[in-house]
Amino acid sequence: MRAISIANAGGPEVLVPIEADVPRPLDQEVLIRVVAAGVNRPDMLQREGRYPVPPDASPYPGLEVSGEVVAVGNAVSEWQPGDRVMALTHGGGYAEYCSTHEGHCLALPDGLDDIGAACIPETGFTVCYNVFMRGALAPDEVLLVHGGSSGIGSMAIQLATALGSRVVTTAGSEEKCRFSESLGAELAVNYRDTDWETAIREHLGGNRVNVVLDMVAGEYVNKNLALLARDGRYALIAFLGGDTTTMSLRPIVGRRLTLTGSTLRPQTPAEKTAIRDRFRELAVPLLEGGSIKPNIHRVFALEDARSAHVCMEEGRHMGKLALSVN
């Protein structure tokens, strides 16, 4: 099969097309003929040598795919050859074939094509887990999500608003702010030229937010804590602004705040299956009804994966990047 390998840690040029063996599914795995694969920031971090690959994972990048099941392991009960699925993978999505646990797949929703479906699992499961399962966002509560025009941000805005919550967000340009608002955010603040903490506080009339989804950290931490209401929940998923900071613990004690963090890949197969089940309950009906949708910025050929990574590094995209495989 064709696959994309990481020759060594480095820039996009280290992504190399190769010929590789087709993986054999384990007992609880399915083998998927990949039609499309989503491109995500963890792929870029893996390429740079900053996102260690678990010992049981594929060495190739790619954490979400869509395609057709072509073989199943001996213990698989949910799927059979011929099923069309979208799936969270344990790596290996940048390839013509990819194996993954049966509990990490979803049937392709009605009305969604393979490119769109390939851009759902990694971002969708991340939002579902951190905002709704750990953050317990409820209808009428306010979510602050940083990076509203990103893949995760755009999914969080749509899913939260579709389920009856309010959303405020930050983004890095006026164009990205308008894009975020078009998805349902009631306020998007350009963090490059505006004090976003003050702008959000003024917009909310002095009230605070209930949940923060933060992929920045660093100097954002104290501002996020200041904006959280009593019993607020802070979900941290990445460190684009740095993984260290100095903070006061008083807001946590005084307002009974909860701080939580996670990354998706190290979760156990059973934990990922539970996330899949919750996402299927919350989001799949909304995908089928058109209330939420993947926003595809650009599609690249599998062999041109390095150009997709260049595009992500430049940071001008809004929504998702994808690879067309078959």
Side-chain angles (χ1 to χ4, degrees):
M1 69 174 184
R2 295 176 298 143
I4 300 297
S5 175
I6 300 174
N8 51 266
E13 71 278 358
V14 305
L15 295 175
V16 180
I18 63 169
E19 290 291 319
D21 293 333
V22 174
R24 294 184 178 181
L26 301 177
D27 284 349
Q28 288 190 285
E29 291 184 338
V30 299
L31 179 65
I32 299 170
R33 183 181 69 85
V34 178
V35 176
V39 177
N40 294 282
R41 190 164 295 275
D43 303 338
M44 189 173 72
L45 296 177
Q46 178 180 336
R47 188 205 75 220
E48 294 172 341
R50 297 194 290 143
Y51 194 72
V53 178
D56 61 339
S58 167
Y60 308 133
L63 298 174
E64 57 184 356
V65 301
S66 65
E68 180 184 351
V69 174
V70 293
V72 299
N74 293 329
V76 170
S77 60
E78 288 194 58
W79 310 102
Q80 59 187 2
D83 288 339
R84 295 181 66 217
V85 297
M86 56 186 186
L88 183 74
T89 76
H90 205 31
Y94 291 15
E96 288 187 293
Y97 293 89
C98 180
S99 60
T100 194
H101 192 282
E102 67 166 332
H104 307 162
C105 301
L106 286 163
L108 210 69
D110 292 341
L112 199 61
D113 64 18
D114 287 286
I115 295 294
C119 293
I120 293 294
E122 170 71 13
T123 50
F125 290 11
T126 296
V127 170
C128 181
Y129 185 50
N130 288 280
V131 175
F132 295 96
M133 296 174 71
R134 297 179 70 85
L137 181 69
D140 297 324
E141 287 192 324
V142 182
L143 169 68
L144 164 58
V145 54
H146 292 291
S149 65
S150 67
I152 286 176
S154 59
M155 173 60 70
I157 292 170
Q158 291 185 87
L159 191 52
T161 54
L163 293 172
S165 301
R166 302 169 61 193
V167 181
V168 293
T169 188
T170 63
S173 71
E174 289 305 312
E175 183 183 18
K176 289 181 177 181
C177 286
R178 301 295 80 77
F179 173 73
S180 301
E181 290 172 345
S182 75
L183 300 176
E186 62 184 53
L187 174 71
V189 183
N190 184 346
Y191 63 81
R192 297 188 189 277
D193 61 16
T194 304
D195 180 346
W196 55 266
E197 179 191 357
T198 300
I200 290 171
R201 194 182 298 277
E202 290 177 351
H203 174 77
L204 296 176
N207 294 321
R208 291 184 166 99
V209 305
N210 304 101
V211 177
V212 173
L213 180 63
D214 183 16
M215 59 193 79
V216 182
E219 65 179 18
Y220 276 35
V221 172
N222 285 306
K223 291 186 173 185
N224 287 326
L225 292 174
L227 281 171
L228 274 166
R230 192 168 189 257
D231 292 321
R233 289 84 72 195
Y234 187 153
L236 180 63
I237 60 172
F239 311 103
L240 297 179
D243 61 0
T244 59
T245 191
T246 300
M247 58 184 282
S248 170
L249 301 178
R250 291 186 180 277
I252 301 172
V253 174
R255 277 181 266 122
R256 306 192 311 189
L257 306 183
T258 299
L259 275 64
T260 183
S262 74
T263 56
L264 194 55
R265 195 169 195 178
Q267 307 303 314
T268 67
E271 288 167 338
K272 291 178 184 176
T273 299
I275 296 168
R276 186 278 309 259
D277 291 345
R278 183 66 171 141
F279 182 82
R280 181 165 55 192
E281 174 188 2
L282 282 179
V284 169
L286 299 173
L287 284 166
E288 292 180 334
S291 298
I292 64 175
K293 63 180 181 180
N295 292 273
I296 311 301
H297 179 82
R298 188 173 173 186
V299 181
F300 299 83
L302 175 65
E303 289 81 1
D304 200 22
R306 61 183 59 180
S307 293
H309 279 225
V310 169
C311 184
M312 177 164 283
E313 286 186 344
E314 290 175 345
R316 293 197 298 267
H317 66 287
M318 294 181 288
K320 293 280 293 190
L321 303 174
L323 301 178
S324 178
V325 179
N326 283 298

